[in-house]
Amino acid sequence: MVTGKPLLTVNQIQDKVIELAGRISTDYAGKDLVVISILKGAFMFTSDLIRHIRVPLTIDFITAKSYQKDKSTGDVKILCDIKEDVRGRDVLLVEDIIDSGITLNYIRERFLQMSPRSVKICGLLDKKERRIVDVPIDYRGFEIPDVFVVGYGLDYDNKYRNLPYVAIFKKTSEEA
Ligand code: IMP
Ligand code: MG
């Protein structure tokens, strides 16, 4: 179940999205921006973010899976790949949350092999103290403590993604 008041409110998230989109708009002026949304978790963040980016961009999606309920398997699978050719283009990977860093590191390495002009990372949430693999986060929303969160695209067992804010999740006996 979802506990207490939001960890991050709708307003806090929206203010941060606007700030990040502003920085991205400045940095990508005159470039060939390809935004890659890492599904499923980043779908809501990506759709809000790109609405505030003021430079031309192309959007594509990649579906990655590494989690079973609330545990990372450490084994990243690409369930659905991008359709765009990113060679010579400026890739921005958009992720919901960076925890161990294993997922994003795997995806980043995979993109680097496609000969893009650049690869940068935009992550809404950062559980920094959990990091196992170091990944460079160019645009970071919020650093959060080591708690399991849901909402704003993030799930527990594919539920709670529709919450408009981010909340701390605690398992009940039925959900365990
Ligand atoms: P990492 O590979 O350990 O960095 O895990 C990153 C992925 O795990 C994210 O893309 C999420 O899908 C999922 N994840 C990690 N922490 C949480 C959380 O607190 N709530 C929901 N999903 C999470
Ligand atoms: Mg994810």
Side-chain angles (χ1 to χ4, degrees):
M1 60 171 200
V2 168
T3 57
K5 58 179 175 42
L7 180 67
L8 298 167
T9 64
V10 171
N11 282 343
Q12 281 175 301
I13 296 168
Q14 291 311 315
D15 286 352
K16 188 61 79 176
V17 164
I18 289 167
E19 179 198 320
L20 294 173
R23 285 175 51 204
I24 292 166
S25 303
T26 305
D27 295 352
Y28 284 88
K31 298 199 169 155
D32 186 4
L33 173 59
V34 186
V35 172
I36 308 286
S37 180
I38 304 176
L39 299 178
K40 297 177 186 170
F43 81 97
M44 207 178 275
F45 176 41
T46 309
S47 77
D48 281 349
L49 187 73
I50 64 169
R51 261 178 268 217
H52 295 283
I53 297 179
R54 296 180 308 273
V55 294
L57 62 82
T58 305
I59 177 98
D60 205 347
F61 304 91
I62 187 166
T63 308
K65 191 177 172 67
S66 63
Y67 260 61
Q68 295 288 347
K69 294 194 171 177
D70 60 350
K71 299 273 181 306
S72 175
T73 61
D75 175 28
V76 186
K77 287 197 173 66
I78 303 298
L79 303 181
C80 187
D81 213 341
I82 57 162
K83 311 285 185 290
E84 287 291 317
D85 182 356
V86 299
R87 222 170 315 158
R89 306 175 77 185
D90 298 292
V91 171
L92 180 65
L93 301 174
V94 178
E95 177 63 307
D96 53 355
I97 186 165
I98 301 107
D99 184 16
S100 69
I102 292 170
T103 308
L104 205 46
N105 184 60
Y106 179 88
I107 292 173
R108 180 173 175 270
E109 293 287 329
R110 208 163 172 275
F111 273 90
L112 287 172
Q113 287 167 15
M114 299 175 192
S115 311
R117 183 159 53 201
S118 63
V119 178
K120 284 192 183 183
I121 290 171
C122 176
L124 179 67
L125 308 176
D126 182 7
K127 277 195 219 171
K128 210 173 170 186
E129 60 191 87
R130 298 253 309 164
R131 200 72 88 255
I132 295 171
V133 186
D134 198 28
V135 273
I137 306 172
D138 303 280
Y139 306 95
R140 181 196 334 255
F142 303 91
E143 201 176 312
I144 63 163
D146 181 11
V147 287
F148 197 82
V149 290
V150 294
Y152 199 65
L154 289 107
D155 72 305
Y156 171 77
D157 205 12
N158 262 316
K159 296 189 184 74
Y160 305 102
R161 293 192 196 275
N162 55 313
L163 289 177
Y165 52 84
V166 173
I168 296 175
F169 176 80
K170 291 235 164 60
K171 260 186 278 190
T172 59
S173 49
E174 302 94 81
E175 285 168 320

